Amino acid sequence: MTVVLKQKKWLILAVAFALIFPFLIPNNYYLHMMTISFIWMIAVYGLNLFAGYTGYLSLAHAGFFAIGAYTLAILTVKAGLHFWLSFLLSCLISCLIGLIIGLVALRTKEHFFAIYTLCVGYIIYLVIDKWDSLTGGVRGFIGIPVPANIGPISFQTPVSQYYLVLFFLLLVIFVMHRIIYSLAGRTYIAIRNSEDLALAIGISTMKNKLTSFVLSVFFTSLAGALYASFIRFLGPDISYISVMFDLLTYLLVGGIGTMAGPVVGTLLITFLSQQLQFLQDYRMLIFGPVLTLLVIFYPQGIVGGVIRWRARQAEKSSNRQAQTAHAANHFVVARHSGNEKQVKEG
């Protein structure tokens, strides 16, 4: 109960800080960085659902991020549809594509699945890069509108867009929490721990893996649509392999298979990258060794390491309490035996 209360306390503090951030630091640069970080967090949550909780590493999620972004851009700019209708359709179309890809990809396992999805992600990049008439190719896609008004609420300013992205982030975290702590989430974790055992106890692994994959694609494409409406310019680079490995880095550093990992990892790496901008291409000389050491000594990431440390501390505390109780019981028994001996001698 104490741990749950502490978790709720930290959650409330984090949400409160996010809500008042624009007033604490009224700087458009940091506001922009925080908004971008929120968008990447949503994408990382999608990757975490499938890689962290279901146990399958997909390397195509940068492609699905780009599909969500480009679909929104095409539907709003070229088709002239209303923004929020285009926003919804971009997620649904991405899920449909994810479903088709998942039906084929999930017939493979382990590193074969990772290699297959890596190829899929690269094919998506090539389609975006070469299909000039639809995506703009290397010239990029411009003129994407900002989110349309919802009644009296306008999203024309950076602060309003910040709160819009924050709303979607909190919604994604809430939905993720509900999924993970539901029967479906327990099923995903069972598949991650042992797919053969899950099959043996009657779990339809293919159905559940496909559901998890499509849900993860939905979250990632949602992030892509938000990215398109916030940046308002798209280039094929957002679907490149380097973006996929950025998402993976955020997840590994924060903690794969944890609820807070995407938030911690994305914030830490994003702001650290900005502080090291003066190093330009040499930044990877720092990130590479640090990430390697982190994977070796903290394979569960920062949040996972903290969870394991707390578990060890709780186990030590429980052992001490058990030893103290045993010693107290031994003392009571010895004293009781001594009293009986004194009565008999008397």
Side-chain angles (χ1 to χ4, degrees):
M1 180 61 74
T2 304
V3 174
V4 173
L5 291 175
K6 286 183 179 179
Q7 290 177 344
K8 288 185 177 180
K9 176 184 175 182
W10 283 110
L11 178 61
I12 292 171
L13 288 174
V15 173
F17 175 77
L19 290 172
I20 64 175
F21 179 81
F23 304 100
L24 290 177
I25 306 178
N27 184 307
N28 285 337
Y29 172 75
Y30 287 108
L31 190 66
H32 177 89
M33 289 307 306
M34 188 65 84
T35 307
I36 288 293
S37 297
F38 290 167
I39 292 172
W40 289 124
M41 285 175 200
I42 295 172
V44 176
Y45 269 110
L47 181 62
N48 192 30
L49 176 63
F50 195 62
Y53 289 101
T54 312
Y56 276 69
L57 178 60
S58 169
L59 297 178
H61 272 55
F64 294 120
F65 180 88
I67 289 173
Y70 271 93
T71 303
L72 175 74
I74 292 168
L75 292 177
T76 52
V77 177
K78 292 194 172 184
L81 296 181
H82 188 270
F83 177 87
W84 291 112
L85 176 60
S86 302
F87 188 86
L88 177 61
L89 288 175
S90 66
C91 297
L92 294 179
I93 292 172
S94 300
C95 287
L96 179 60
I97 296 172
L99 176 65
I100 296 170
I101 292 172
L103 284 171
V104 179
L106 289 170
R107 296 181 183 277
T108 60
K109 293 182 179 181
E110 299 175 351
H111 56 281
F112 297 106
F113 177 82
I115 294 170
Y116 182 88
T117 53
L118 179 63
C119 295
V120 169
Y122 190 67
I123 290 171
I124 293 172
Y125 164 75
L126 290 177
V127 170
I128 293 173
D129 185 59
K130 303 302 180 183
W131 199 346
D132 289 359
S133 60
L134 182 67
T135 65
V138 294
R139 297 189 307 276
F141 206 112
I142 61 174
I144 304 168
V146 296
N149 295 355
I150 301 177
I153 303 175
S154 173
F155 301 103
Q156 301 294 323
T157 64
V159 174
S160 61
Q161 292 180 12
Y162 167 88
Y163 282 116
L164 176 66
V165 175
L166 176 60
F167 167 77
F168 279 106
L169 173 61
L170 294 177
L171 182 61
V172 166
I173 293 174
F174 173 76
V175 173
M176 274 286 296
H177 185 273
R178 298 287 294 179
I179 291 173
I180 297 307
Y181 291 97
S182 67
L183 180 59
R186 299 300 181 187
T187 303
Y188 301 154
I189 294 171
I191 294 172
R192 180 194 66 187
N193 293 339
S194 176
E195 188 169 344
D196 292 333
L197 181 59
L199 274 170
I201 62 177
I203 294 175
S204 176
T205 56
M206 182 63 181
K207 175 183 175 182
N208 283 281
K209 288 188 298 184
L210 186 60
T211 303
S212 175
F213 184 72
V214 172
L215 283 172
S216 70
V217 168
F218 176 82
F219 291 139
T220 306
S221 61
L222 171 65
L226 289 170
Y227 179 88
S229 65
F230 181 66
I231 300 299
R232 304 183 66 191
F233 168 81
L234 296 176
D237 288 347
I238 66 167
S239 61
Y240 198 56
I241 298 171
S242 59
V243 175
M244 182 64 242
F245 286 107
D246 285 342
L247 295 177
L248 194 57
T249 300
Y250 300 153
L251 182 58
L252 290 176
V253 171
I256 187 170
T258 63
M259 281 299 299
V263 175
V264 174
T266 305
L267 278 179
L268 181 63
I269 297 299
T270 300
F271 280 91
L272 186 60
S273 298
Q274 292 305 310
Q275 297 304 317
L276 297 177
Q277 279 288 352
F278 65 95
L279 294 177
Q280 296 181 353
D281 295 336
Y282 297 100
R283 287 178 296 168
M284 292 311 298
L285 293 176
I286 297 175
F287 281 132
V290 169
L291 184 59
T292 302
L293 292 173
L294 185 68
V295 170
I296 293 173
F297 295 103
Y298 288 92
Q300 297 299 320
I302 295 173
V303 176
V306 171
I307 291 173
R308 292 182 63 183
W309 178 80
R310 285 182 175 177
R312 287 196 297 267
Q313 293 299 112
E315 184 179 357
K316 289 179 181 179
S317 177
S318 178
N319 290 337
R320 285 196 298 267
Q321 290 177 1
Q323 291 173 0
T324 303
H326 178 73
N329 290 335
H330 182 73
F331 175 76
V332 170
V333 170
R335 185 174 181 181
H336 181 69
S337 300
N339 290 339
E340 287 183 347
K341 184 177 181 180
Q342 291 177 1
V343 169
K344 289 180 179 178
E345 289 176 353

